[in-house]
Amino acid sequence: MLMSGSKNNDRMKKNLLLSFFLFFLLQLAAQEKSGYILLKPDRVFDGENMQTGWVVLVKNNKIEAAGAMSFKLPADTRVIELKGMTLLPGLIEGHSHLFLHPYNETSWDDQVLKESRAERTARAVNHAKATLMAGFTTVRDLGTEGAMYDDVGLKTAIGKGVIPGPRMICATRAIVAKGTYGPRSPSPDVELPQGAEEVSGLEEISKAVRSQIGHGADLIKVYADYRYGPNGETLPTFSEAELASLVAYAASSGRKAVAHATTPEGMRRAVNAGISTIEHGDNGTEEVFRLMKEKGVALCPTLAAGDAIEQYRGWKKGTDPEPQRITNKKISFALALKAGVIICMGGDVGVYSHGDNAREMELMVEYGMKPIDVLRSSTSINADTFGYGNKFGRIKKDLFADIIAVEGDPSVDIKNIRKIKLVMKDGVVY
Ligand SMILES: [Zn+2]
C-alpha cells in the first residue's frame, strides 16, 4: 500500500526519533555493561588470607584486578565505598537441599509423600533467594529427595535470570540401594515413592548414573550406608566393588561422586572406591580419617544438621545437658581435624532454614576450628574440592565476580559473616 507524501514524512520523522531514542537506550545499556565497579573495603579475604590495603575492580561478570590500588582507574568506574567492611568471595554451601524445608515444620516423610512437586518447587524458589541474600553465591545441592530432576530446572531458571538464586551444582535424585532408604512403608504390600533412585546390582548402578547424567546431574551422590539394619542400625549398603563401579562411570563422564556415610565401614568402602567427599562422617574413627587424609578425600561434616535435629527432638541447647550424639560428633570432628583431613563447609541446610547457612560456620568454630580456616573451607577449599577452583571461590583476577561484603571482620568473630551488606553474583549486585 502507498502512502501520501506528507504522511510518509511524518512517519519517517517518528521512526527517526524512535531510532535515536533506542540508540540512546542501547548506549546506556552498553555503558552499564562495559562499566567497571571498584570495591573499597577495609580488608579483603581473598579465599586464603586476610589482606589489608586492597581494592577489587570488577569488569562485567569477572574480577579484573585485586590488590593494592596500583592501576589507573578506567573513566566510567562506579566506586562503592565499604567502610568498616570485609570483602570475601561469595560463600559456597557444600551440602544443601533446596527442595527440603525444616523438619520441625513438616517431617521428611511428609515432604516426600504429601507435598506436590509444584509446592516443592515454589518453596525452592524462596529457598534459592534466601540463600543468595545470605551471601551464599553457590550451592552444591545434594539430592532433591523425591523431586526428581527439578534441581536442574531450578538451576536453569536461575541461570536465565528468571529468579534470583545461587549457582547450583546439582546431584539430581541421588542413588540408594534397593530397600534401604525411605520413606518406609507401614505395609510390605504397599510400595511408596522413594526419596532417591533405587538400584540393585552393577547393571542398575550403571543405568542410574548414566540416566542422572543425561538428566543434568553435575555430580553423583550415593548413600554408602543407611539405617536399614534389623533394629534400625546404620549399615553399609553397597560393596566396595559396587561403589568403585559407580565412581568409575561418573569419572569417565568427568564428574565426581560423593557419598553419604556415617559408619566407619561405609566411609572406608567409599574412600577406597574413590569417592571425592564423605558427607556427615559422624562415627569416623582415627583410622578412617587417616585413610581419608592419605587419599585426599574431604569431609563435609554437616554439624548443623545434627544440632538442629537434636533440638527438634526437644534438646534445649544451653540449658539441658548435651545429647550423646552431639558429644560424639564433637569427638569425631576433632579426630578429623587432628588427622589433617580436608574439611568442607556444608551443613545439610534444608534440615534447618535456608538462609541460615552460617549456622554451620558458627558450629565449626564452636567445635574447634579457627574462624579463618572456616572461611577458607567456605570459599577456596569448597571450590577446589568440588572442581570449580578456576571459576570461583577466590578474589582473584579472571574469576567470576562472586563477591560479598560483611560488616566487621569475620576472621575475628565468625558471627560477623551474618552481617551481609553486599551480595554480588556474576558481577550483578543483588
Ligand atoms: Zn543431605
Side-chain angles (χ1 to χ4, degrees):
M1 190 173 73
L2 284 169
M3 284 187 223
S4 73
S6 67
K7 251 190 180 170
N8 214 353
N9 252 343
D10 274 4
R11 175 63 64 92
M12 271 175 71
K13 268 185 206 157
K14 264 187 196 162
N15 279 346
L16 208 63
L17 262 173
L18 196 67
S19 304
F20 267 123
F21 184 62
L22 274 175
F23 179 72
F24 180 67
L25 275 181
L26 282 173
Q27 280 293 99
L28 262 182
Q31 205 174 11
E32 181 73 35
K33 246 188 143 186
S34 74
Y36 289 85
I37 299 177
L38 183 77
L39 302 165
K40 294 177 74 180
D42 275 15
R43 64 195 78 77
V44 174
F45 175 70
D46 63 7
E48 290 170 11
N49 296 297
M50 195 61 83
Q51 312 284 358
T52 48
W54 275 35
V55 294
V56 176
L57 184 67
V58 170
K59 185 191 180 190
N60 297 335
N61 68 334
K62 295 276 180 71
I63 295 167
E64 175 84 1
M69 180 82 193
S70 57
F71 46 86
K72 206 169 159 253
L73 214 54
D76 59 351
T77 303
R78 176 181 159 202
V79 178
I80 303 181
E81 296 278 352
L82 300 162
K83 268 252 146 303
M85 296 181 208
T86 306
L87 215 62
L88 304 100
L91 302 170
I92 302 167
E93 169 63 58
H95 189 138
S96 70
H97 296 280
L98 288 178
F99 286 83
L100 289 176
H101 60 100
Y103 298 173
N104 61 336
E105 295 171 12
T106 310
S107 73
W108 181 84
D109 275 37
D110 282 355
Q111 292 187 44
V112 175
L113 296 175
K114 297 179 183 170
E115 289 179 356
S116 67
R117 298 260 298 277
E119 177 182 345
R120 297 189 68 186
T121 299
R123 289 178 181 277
V125 167
N126 290 342
H127 299 158
K129 185 177 180 187
T131 303
L132 179 64
M133 298 321 287
F136 291 77
T137 53
T138 300
V139 298
R140 188 176 63 148
D141 206 60
L142 294 185
T144 57
E145 309 287 346
M148 300 301 282
Y149 310 99
D150 292 347
D151 52 345
V152 177
L154 189 73
K155 173 186 170 174
T156 304
I158 291 168
K160 286 180 178 173
V162 178
I163 55 163
R167 296 179 194 279
M168 288 178 69
I169 304 167
C170 297
T172 72
R173 301 175 64 189
I175 294 172
V176 292
K178 176 109 186 124
T180 64
Y181 202 50
R184 291 268 148 75
S185 176
S187 159
D189 307 323
V190 179
E191 292 273 343
L192 292 180
Q194 293 292 289
E197 186 167 5
E198 291 188 295
V199 296
S200 182
L202 294 178
E203 183 82 26
E204 286 186 19
I205 289 173
S206 128
K207 203 171 143 193
V209 170
R210 287 169 169 152
S211 159
Q212 292 186 4
I213 288 169
H215 284 91
D218 300 307
L219 63 89
I220 298 299
K221 182 191 183 186
V222 63
Y223 284 72
D225 54 29
Y226 211 68
R227 304 185 291 271
Y228 77 115
N231 302 299
E233 314 94 310
T234 302
L235 294 168
T237 45
F238 290 100
S239 70
E240 199 177 303
E242 287 174 322
L243 292 171
S245 77
L246 177 141
V247 171
Y249 295 131
S252 67
S253 81
R255 288 169 178 81
K256 292 176 185 297
V258 311
H260 164 116
T262 63
T263 63
E265 179 58 15
M267 291 169 73
R268 194 190 63 76
R269 290 184 195 179
V271 171
N272 282 332
I275 287 286
S276 71
T277 64
I278 294 286
E279 305 303 309
H280 315 297
D282 286 33
N283 301 297
T285 57
E286 208 176 320
E287 194 188 359
V288 82
F289 286 131
R290 219 180 300 129
L291 183 69
M292 285 175 70
K293 162 75 180 169
E294 196 185 302
K295 303 241 178 189
V297 176
L299 173 71
C300 192
T302 68
L303 308 175
D307 180 77
I309 288 168
E310 286 304 318
Q311 291 185 62
Y312 299 158
R313 288 177 180 162
W315 173 39
K316 287 185 189 66
K317 198 177 174 178
T319 313
D320 292 350
E322 192 172 86
Q324 195 59 47
R325 176 182 181 169
I326 302 294
T327 310
N328 291 349
K329 185 69 184 176
K330 283 183 178 171
I331 293 168
S332 77
F333 186 59
L335 286 176
L337 291 176
K338 198 175 147 220
V341 174
I342 301 164
I343 306 290
C344 289
M345 195 290 290
D348 212 356
V349 62
V351 172
Y352 52 98
S353 298
H354 294 280
D356 193 20
N357 310 61
R359 185 167 177 174
E360 178 73 11
M361 299 172 76
E362 291 165 350
L363 286 171
M364 287 165 92
V365 172
E366 197 183 313
Y367 288 23
M369 272 176 89
K370 287 197 205 92
I372 189 90
D373 287 331
V374 173
L375 296 177
R376 288 177 181 131
S377 288
S378 314
T379 55
S380 59
I381 291 177
N382 268 6
D384 291 346
T385 304
F386 306 159
Y388 294 81
N390 59 350
K391 293 199 170 84
F392 48 76
R394 285 178 179 80
I395 294 190
K396 194 175 140 190
K397 183 173 161 50
D398 294 332
L399 296 200
F400 287 129
D402 291 1
I403 299 170
I404 63 165
V406 299
E407 212 174 275
D409 184 349
S411 73
V412 172
D413 183 359
I414 198 69
K415 285 194 160 50
N416 287 327
I417 206 69
R418 291 184 183 270
K419 298 178 183 161
I420 296 283
K421 297 294 163 195
L422 172 94
V423 177
M424 176 188 280
K425 192 194 95 184
D426 214 29
V428 178
V429 177
Y430 286 88

